[in-house]
Amino acid sequence: MAFDLKRADDAPGCRMTERPEDCTIVIFGASGDLSSRKLFPALSRLFEVGGLPGNFAIVGTARTQMSTDEFREKVRSWLEASGNLASMDWNVFAPRLSYQALEYDAPASYQELRGAIESAETQLGLPGNRMFYLAIPPTLYESVSGMLGVAGLARKKSKELWTRIVVEKPFGRDLDSSRVLDAAMHEHFEEEQIFRIDHYLAKETVQNVLLFRFANSVFEPVWNRNFVDYVSILAAEELGVEHRAGYYEEAGVLRDMFQNHMMQLLAMAAMEPPSVFRAREVLDEKTKLYRSLRPFDPAKGFGQLVLGQYAASEDGSKIGYRQEPGVSPKSNTPTFAMLKTYVDNWRWQGVPFYICSGKRMERKITRIVVQFKEVPHSIYRDIVGEHVQANRLLMEVYPNETINLTLQAKKSGEGFCLRTATMSFNFKDGYEGPPLDSYEKVILDCMLGDHMLFWRQDGVELSWTYLTPILQMCEQCETMDENLKFYPAGSWGPRDANMIHLNYLKDLLINERRRA
């Protein structure tokens, strides 16, 4: 089913965009894992629903030596494995694919790549708009962006045609390295050409957090310190480190999840309303939020932070992190973290924010919980007691893209007993069009030049500025063996998390019984 990018039939005033201009998409690391699992399935899906330009070319490049025919066959196998092949016109898509092998540190190799790009553009009659997607290790970002500039592929000053470069997180490994990377990229690319992807932002529920907050007058007046008891942001992952041990040993959960995904979820939940829903204004408000974070106090240290690492499961079916291939048997790399923080501004003063993420947990859940305060005076105290259960708002990103609000109501019958009722909204209800997953959405926005769902460098630096004291404390701690709490793979993390956030398990398990 094709879908109209210009206008949605059921919402003529909604913020939709025109179809992207004709362009060439160049994917670095085209033979790698990210390309096979995410990028080419996303590109094929966009092609199927009419989200790609009317005329386009996809040029793959990587160290792997292969011909264009071999590359096309490889892409075909990826799409067949993802289930996308049967629903698309492969005979139309395949001729737009080509391949050029590349040595990432060889200038002459980039001239060969330039020739391959220009050849594809000439063959298909393309104008020369280009998007470079770096699906490669972050350690190569600096050299590849520099080589593109030296080869004349950056076109920093071009006004007739656009050139964009897309990088995945992490954007450096600390504040200093992020600044070095940024300076290197800006040597050949303007800020408006750089797209720093955080695919969490392209998830439907995450985008709907702002709409829910700022398009409903019922909630905005109570979205502050006067009515909110705490906010909990949770991202539990069922998988372990898998094949990423080399990267994860260097990153850990704080660099892998907190500096990017968790900070973005925090901003969506706590930022002030922008004056207009436009990329610059939205990014400005996120930046203001990061500036308002109360600096981490190393003196309080592990009174604000719980770190954990998964051990073997209780039944022995899952190995521990230290037994994973490529992981040191004495590794102190955390795979779980819970952080208690505050936003020092008028809206949120004194309200704790609990940010939590971990690997090898019982199941994959991503959600934002807003716990409201109890009613100030219970008129039912002689009947049901002093405490009436407070309202709770649950915005679930995964697995169920829903928003649930708990309310108190009377149980049916002669007695006077309260029960918790739930008002629920599912984002998929009533929508019959083809949904875009997160990678489809970010690729589309890159082609359109829309920075709304991407990081800006000042936000990246402020995020690293906040996390740097935490990282330094963890890396310089002489008693890390004592402060790293082990938890069984397949559990809900270390029990010590409840010392920081007494409602931790409650926030994880809310609505699980109802769903079951």
Side-chain angles (χ1 to χ4, degrees):
M1 179 187 296
F3 82 110
D4 186 359
L5 285 164
K6 294 184 179 181
R7 186 175 293 271
D9 293 337
D10 60 343
C14 69
R15 181 183 181 274
M16 297 294 283
T17 49
E18 296 184 355
R19 194 170 190 173
E21 296 176 324
D22 295 347
C23 67
T24 302
I25 303 167
V26 184
I27 299 180
F28 288 75
S31 61
D33 183 66
L34 178 62
S35 294
S36 65
R37 291 188 304 108
K38 296 294 184 181
L39 299 186
F40 280 98
L43 287 166
S44 70
R45 178 66 175 151
L46 284 172
F47 172 72
E48 177 191 348
V49 301
L52 288 181
N55 191 11
F56 66 92
I58 300 174
V59 179
T61 185
R63 290 193 179 104
T64 306
Q65 294 290 331
M66 64 176 136
S67 67
T68 288
D69 286 342
E70 290 172 326
F71 177 62
R72 288 173 179 170
E73 188 56 38
K74 188 179 287 289
V75 173
R76 180 186 175 91
S77 68
W78 294 339
L79 300 185
E80 186 173 21
S82 68
N84 289 17
L85 185 63
S87 57
M88 66 177 294
D89 192 336
W90 171 252
N91 292 328
V92 175
F93 186 76
R96 298 181 178 276
L97 300 173
S98 61
Y99 184 82
Q100 175 65 45
L102 179 76
E103 292 297 326
Y104 292 128
D105 57 354
S109 198
Y110 286 80
Q111 293 300 332
E112 295 174 355
L113 175 62
R114 179 174 181 170
I117 294 171
E118 291 174 349
S119 175
E121 290 172 343
T122 299
Q123 182 179 351
L124 293 169
L126 291 166
N129 296 317
R130 295 165 186 166
M131 181 179 84
F132 298 107
Y133 198 117
L134 306 193
I136 53 179
T139 52
L140 293 173
Y141 291 167
E142 184 177 340
S143 61
V144 170
S145 63
M147 289 289 186
L148 286 171
V150 171
L153 289 166
R155 290 191 308 209
K156 187 174 182 179
K157 301 298 182 183
S158 176
K159 293 185 178 179
E160 293 77 20
L161 299 170
W162 53 258
T163 300
R164 294 166 188 146
I165 185 168
V166 185
V167 294
E168 292 261 349
K169 63 94 174 172
F171 316 116
R173 58 174 283 106
D174 52 27
L175 179 59
D176 290 341
S177 61
S178 73
R179 286 173 171 167
V180 170
L181 173 61
D182 182 62
M185 296 191 70
H186 276 91
E187 185 175 348
H188 299 287
F189 293 89
E190 302 281 2
E191 177 65 22
E192 65 183 17
Q193 294 179 276
I194 302 172
F195 288 75
R196 303 172 187 85
I197 277 187
D198 188 333
H199 67 271
Y200 261 50
L201 285 177
K203 296 179 182 292
E204 282 287 337
T205 316
V206 175
Q207 295 179 60
N208 269 289
V209 172
L210 291 187
L211 187 67
F212 180 83
R213 288 184 56 195
F214 301 133
N216 296 287
S217 60
V218 153
F219 292 103
E220 180 54 26
V222 298
W223 206 269
N224 56 56
R225 58 186 168 80
N226 295 320
F227 298 94
V228 175
D229 187 28
Y230 68 82
V231 178
S232 177
I233 302 171
L234 307 162
E237 298 184 85
E238 189 172 357
L239 293 176
V241 70
E242 304 301 308
H243 57 280
R244 302 168 69 221
Y247 159 73
Y248 206 85
E249 273 286 83
E250 292 292 323
V253 68
L254 292 171
R255 287 189 174 94
D256 185 50
M257 289 293 291
F258 277 63
Q259 189 275 326
N260 37 75
H261 301 329
M262 306 307 287
M263 282 293 194
Q264 287 286 2
L265 292 175
L266 171 62
M268 301 292 265
M271 62 183 273
E272 295 295 320
S275 58
V276 63
F277 191 62
R278 193 165 51 201
R280 183 180 63 185
E281 285 77 4
V282 170
L283 294 174
D284 284 346
E285 293 302 332
K286 288 183 179 180
T287 300
K288 284 169 58 178
L289 188 280
Y290 297 139
R291 286 198 183 101
S292 299
L293 286 174
R294 183 180 299 177
F296 182 80
D297 184 359
K300 295 181 180 178
F302 292 99
Q304 303 168 270
L305 176 69
V306 172
L307 297 178
Q309 185 186 96
Y310 65 84
S313 60
E314 293 178 344
D315 62 3
S317 63
K318 298 181 179 69
I319 62 174
Y321 177 75
R322 292 180 177 182
Q323 287 77 54
E324 297 279 8
V327 173
S328 167
K330 296 182 179 180
S331 174
N332 282 329
T333 300
T335 62
F336 173 98
M338 175 180 285
L339 174 66
K340 180 181 181 180
T341 190
Y342 291 88
V343 178
D344 284 337
N345 63 14
W346 192 271
R347 180 186 293 268
W348 295 114
Q349 189 62 41
V351 176
F353 285 77
Y354 300 96
I355 308 173
C356 176
S357 181
K359 286 190 170 295
R360 273 285 183 240
M361 301 183 75
E362 184 170 316
R363 66 175 67 92
K364 182 177 174 63
I365 296 176
T366 304
R367 57 177 48 154
I368 299 171
V369 175
V370 179
Q371 178 66 50
F372 291 96
K373 294 180 178 179
E374 291 186 12
V375 293
H377 172 65
S378 174
I379 63 173
Y380 307 109
R381 60 187 180 279
D382 295 332
I383 306 173
V384 298
E386 283 291 336
H387 299 286
V388 174
Q389 187 170 324
N391 303 118
R392 179 187 293 248
L393 182 69
L394 169 66
M395 292 173 281
E396 188 165 291
V397 177
Y398 187 91
N400 303 288
E401 297 180 2
T402 57
I403 289 182
N404 299 297
L405 177 66
T406 64
L407 306 168
Q408 293 305 306
K410 180 183 176 298
K411 286 184 178 180
S412 299
E414 294 184 2
F416 195 93
C417 297
L418 296 183
R419 65 183 178 94
T420 299
T422 302
M423 295 178 63
S424 182
F425 170 72
N426 189 313
F427 289 108
K428 296 179 181 179
D429 288 348
Y431 177 66
E432 299 178 355
L436 293 181
D437 78 4
S438 55
Y439 270 94
E440 293 163 23
K441 176 62 176 167
V442 294
I443 290 172
L444 178 60
D445 280 359
C446 287
M447 290 188 290
L448 292 165
D450 187 346
H451 280 86
M452 178 76 74
L453 302 181
F454 299 85
W455 278 91
R456 199 169 63 188
Q457 180 60 20
D458 55 354
V460 171
E461 292 189 11
L462 286 166
S463 178
W464 278 124
T465 298
Y466 175 76
L467 282 170
T468 293
I470 303 174
L471 293 168
Q472 290 175 343
M473 183 191 76
C474 296
E475 292 167 355
Q476 297 170 9
C477 179
E478 297 179 355
T479 58
M480 194 61 177
D481 288 336
E482 300 174 14
N483 289 300
L484 187 67
K485 310 300 181 181
F486 293 93
Y487 60 98
S491 69
W492 285 119
R495 294 181 178 179
D496 296 68
N498 283 309
M499 296 173 60
I500 301 294
H501 178 24
L502 293 176
N503 289 302
Y504 165 57
L505 286 177
K506 188 175 181 181
D507 288 347
L508 275 170
L509 299 173
I510 184 174
N511 288 342
E512 293 302 311
R513 291 180 180 176
R514 182 179 60 83
R515 185 177 298 124

